[in-house]
Amino acid sequence: MIVIDAPAVERLLSWPALVGAIGDMFAAGCVAPARHHHPFDIPGEDAGTLLLMPAWAPGAFLGVKIVTVVPANGTRGLPAIAGTYLLSSAGTGETRAVIDGASLTAWRTAAASALASKHLSRPESEDLVIVGTGALSARLAAAHASVRPIRRIRVWGRSAEKAAAAADRIRADGLEAEAITDLEAAVRSADIVSCATLSRAPLVLGDWLKPGAHLDLVGAFNPGMRESDDAAVTRSSLFVDTREGALHEAGDLIQPIRAGLIGPEAIAADLRELCLGLHPGRRRADEITLFKSVGASLEDLAAAVLVYERFKAAENPSA
């Protein structure tokens, strides 16, 4: 068994390879049982969440990710998400690697958004707005820029200081970025809007989205959270990472479904259908598209296998 820490994950992964690996895994398929989702009480603050996410490709690899989400960690100067990935042989059950889960999750989450963007955003998209200032903000900027010719990136957060820090991290990756305070004005001109927050109230309004915009919703991972309003949902063509996950956990879709504004059939396609060409993705230049992800264990498995295989190749370059 090998241990692959966060710096090694950072060293081994690249956006084109990871986006491709996740797309290949969606097309090929794997066994991905529903994830276990357990709240745990934390005295004096919002509850945390424990997630257990298994997946396996028969005869190849089997993995499970153990994740905790603690919303109040921001007040402690700690990331909201922590986790570990355990990768095993699906033939013998032997453990192959223990991989840093937080870094793996950040990479695969942003890569899934980039994969969706390849199918849903306009190919000429240049203007990106990032909503949220957490660890995912720079990842999402880099991932979207790997599949579209992004020239302008603006970052908005409730804290101007944190937005500035997030813009600094994006610039450190060699991309142009600035912090902003007027979210509405930014969204109205954006080609792509990518949100990664723990918001319980809409941040991006549908009336702000211009024709042809693509809205990428990454945060709001349970039914009580949402980052977009009803107008954004009803104005858009809707896509998800997995239907089962979205219909059980995505507040941005569950809340308008419960209100009778849309039905489950409003979801045009999931990533598997897009990757297999069963749905063409964007149909018109003026179409507004919305992609909602809640995370899929398939994505974790694809990322973990890529990390493991690259680690082994680096250990034995002549093999």
Side-chain angles (χ1 to χ4, degrees):
M1 181 186 75
I2 58 177
V3 176
I4 305 177
D5 61 12
V9 173
E10 299 298 322
R11 209 168 47 245
L12 293 166
L13 286 179
S14 65
W15 295 114
L18 183 55
V19 172
I22 292 175
D24 290 344
M25 186 70 82
F26 267 111
C30 72
V31 182
R35 66 183 173 190
H36 296 255
H37 191 284
H38 303 284
F40 60 92
D41 292 333
I42 303 175
E45 61 187 70
D46 289 342
T49 304
L50 171 66
L51 302 173
L52 304 175
M53 301 175 65
W56 58 90
F61 289 97
L62 175 152
V64 60
K65 188 171 71 174
I66 304 169
V67 176
T68 56
V69 183
V70 179
N73 268 359
T75 64
R76 304 180 180 97
L78 296 173
I81 298 173
T84 301
Y85 197 88
L86 186 67
L87 182 68
S88 303
S89 165
T92 67
E94 295 173 288
T95 302
R96 298 301 189 203
V98 176
I99 305 172
D100 180 79
S103 182
L104 194 78
T105 299
W107 273 89
R108 69 82 155 143
T109 301
S113 285
L115 177 63
S117 186
K118 286 181 65 175
H119 293 277
L120 302 176
S121 67
R122 290 182 297 111
E124 66 273 19
S125 296
E126 295 181 344
D127 191 322
L128 170 66
V129 170
I130 301 290
V131 181
T133 60
L136 265 177
S137 57
R139 311 280 189 174
L140 286 164
H144 280 290
S146 76
V147 298
R148 290 293 184 249
I150 302 298
R151 297 179 182 273
R152 185 186 192 191
I153 301 171
R154 290 169 288 173
V155 184
W156 179 90
R158 289 189 175 93
S159 163
E161 182 179 353
K162 290 182 179 179
D168 287 342
R169 293 196 298 272
I170 294 170
R171 285 194 294 270
D173 288 334
L175 300 168
E176 292 295 326
E178 63 176 319
I180 57 165
T181 57
D182 189 340
L183 179 59
E184 178 180 350
V187 170
R188 286 187 179 278
S189 64
D191 297 314
I192 300 172
V193 180
S194 185
C195 302
T197 74
L198 299 176
S199 180
R200 291 188 170 274
L203 298 171
V204 175
L205 306 188
D207 289 344
W208 299 350
L209 298 168
K210 73 178 185 180
H214 174 59
L215 179 58
D216 173 41
L217 301 177
V218 177
F221 63 89
N222 69 41
M225 297 176 172
R226 68 185 306 184
E227 298 176 304
S228 65
D229 69 347
D230 291 340
V233 173
T234 56
R235 289 189 70 198
S236 303
S237 298
L238 305 179
F239 301 86
V240 296
D241 51 356
T242 67
R243 291 175 187 271
E244 181 179 12
L247 290 173
H248 281 86
E249 299 181 14
D252 286 277
L253 301 180
I254 291 172
Q255 292 183 37
I257 287 173
R258 288 176 177 171
L261 298 174
I262 60 169
E265 69 281 355
I267 298 173
D270 59 22
L271 277 179
R272 176 171 170 79
E273 292 164 327
L274 290 172
C275 291
L276 286 172
L278 300 177
H279 189 285
R282 172 175 290 272
R283 296 176 185 270
R284 306 182 316 277
D286 64 349
E287 182 179 12
I288 297 173
T289 54
L290 184 155
F291 173 68
K292 175 58 193 156
S293 66
V294 294
S297 57
L298 176 154
E299 300 160 7
D300 295 305
L301 181 63
V305 170
L306 180 61
V307 167
Y308 174 73
E309 290 181 338
R310 286 189 162 190
F311 186 94
K312 296 295 285 185
E315 279 191 328
N316 302 284
S318 60

